[in-house]
Amino acid sequence: MSNLSRRKLLGLFGMAPLAGGVAVAVGTTPLVSAEQNLSDQARQRIHERNLPNIPLITHEGKRVFFYDDLVKDKVVSLNFFFAKCEEVCPLVMANLAKVQKLLGHQVGRDLFMYSFTLKPEEDTVDVIRHHRSMYGAGPGWTFLTAKPDDMERLRRAIGFTYPDPAIDKDKTQHIGNIRYGNEPLMFWSACTGMAHAKWIAETLEWMVHAEQNRVQPS
């Protein structure tokens, strides 16, 4: 050690952090890739189990696929209704109309609202188009129908079911919930369709800006 000059010592000490930094960078690259791979796998599992790519028809008569066209890479709200419902549906749909007004131009740009009929055998494209106009729905709020078997598969996949099969079979007792989520980030939740419209609107905005920290410092 005594033979080392001051310059050499400083040179060695100066290199240590850089060498350490290189080692860390090289060491973490596979870890980051592994984490991304796990995230991609988890997203794929959610897609396969809960977001089936079933064919649907919009109120405009356009054919779309649930996952590829409606949900993938988007922030969305999902709910079920049927046109001749006289109980919970009108209340929930009117509440969603308030939500859309509160969100303004964000609907159809930053987030998308989808309402699916529970009775596709009755609710044709003409029926859901008329029903949509009753609530003054604007761009970004799409009403959809499908083949009965496909719609039933979708209902079950995204969790609009009752544990009791007898109740679940009775469409007049259907769940008046809203499910919402940020698909790419895999953030999903639900609330009652009769929650305060302002609260629902704020929750959807949180989904759009999920990266923002809203925890207030103590």
Side-chain angles (χ1 to χ4, degrees):
M1 181 68 73
S2 59
N3 294 329
L4 288 174
S5 68
R6 177 180 174 83
R7 179 175 295 179
K8 286 181 179 180
L9 282 171
L10 291 174
L12 287 172
F13 289 139
M15 287 177 63
L18 177 61
V22 172
V24 170
V26 172
T28 57
T29 300
L31 179 60
V32 172
S33 298
E35 289 178 349
Q36 183 61 48
N37 188 46
L38 288 173
S39 177
D40 292 343
Q41 290 178 17
R43 186 179 176 190
Q44 182 64 22
R45 283 196 299 271
I46 293 173
H47 162 35
E48 292 172 352
R49 296 177 183 179
N50 303 107
L51 305 171
N53 204 29
I54 66 169
L56 299 143
I57 305 175
T58 72
H59 63 271
E60 297 176 324
K62 181 181 178 181
R63 295 184 179 276
V64 294
F65 287 93
F66 177 70
Y67 183 75
D68 286 348
D69 300 318
L70 304 184
V71 177
K72 186 179 180 181
D73 297 327
K74 294 181 176 69
V75 174
V76 300
S77 71
L78 317 170
N79 79 289
F80 281 86
F81 75 99
F82 61 96
K84 293 183 179 179
C85 176
E86 298 178 353
E87 297 180 12
V88 68
C89 300
L91 300 175
V92 171
M93 301 303 274
N95 202 37
L96 285 174
K98 294 178 183 178
V99 171
Q100 185 179 43
K101 288 181 180 179
L102 288 168
L103 291 170
H105 295 301
Q106 292 181 88
V107 182
R109 183 189 66 191
D110 303 322
L111 58 97
F112 300 83
M113 300 169 63
Y114 301 118
S115 296
F116 307 91
T117 177
L118 279 169
K119 294 188 175 183
E121 64 278 5
E122 298 178 4
D123 293 345
T124 64
V125 170
D126 289 339
V127 170
I128 63 173
R129 184 188 301 120
H130 173 71
H131 202 68
R132 182 178 181 274
S133 68
M134 289 173 53
Y135 295 98
W141 185 5
T142 305
F143 285 45
L144 300 112
T145 187
K147 293 180 179 179
D149 288 346
D150 287 335
M151 194 61 83
E152 179 65 9
R153 180 187 171 199
L154 178 62
R155 182 180 75 89
R156 293 186 173 280
I158 58 181
F160 282 82
T161 58
Y162 279 108
D164 187 330
I167 297 177
D168 188 60
K169 188 177 180 180
D170 185 358
K171 296 298 190 292
T172 64
Q173 299 191 55
H174 77 91
I175 297 175
N177 283 355
I178 300 167
R179 188 169 294 282
Y180 51 87
N182 183 316
E183 190 278 329
L185 294 182
M186 298 177 284
F187 291 167
W188 291 95
S189 190
C191 68
T192 172
M194 288 307 299
H196 196 286
K198 185 177 180 181
W199 183 88
I200 297 174
E202 289 177 350
T203 302
L204 290 174
E205 287 183 322
W206 292 345
M207 283 291 176
V208 173
H209 304 289
E211 74 286 352
Q212 294 182 7
N213 183 6
R214 293 179 175 80
V215 178
Q216 298 298 320
S218 57

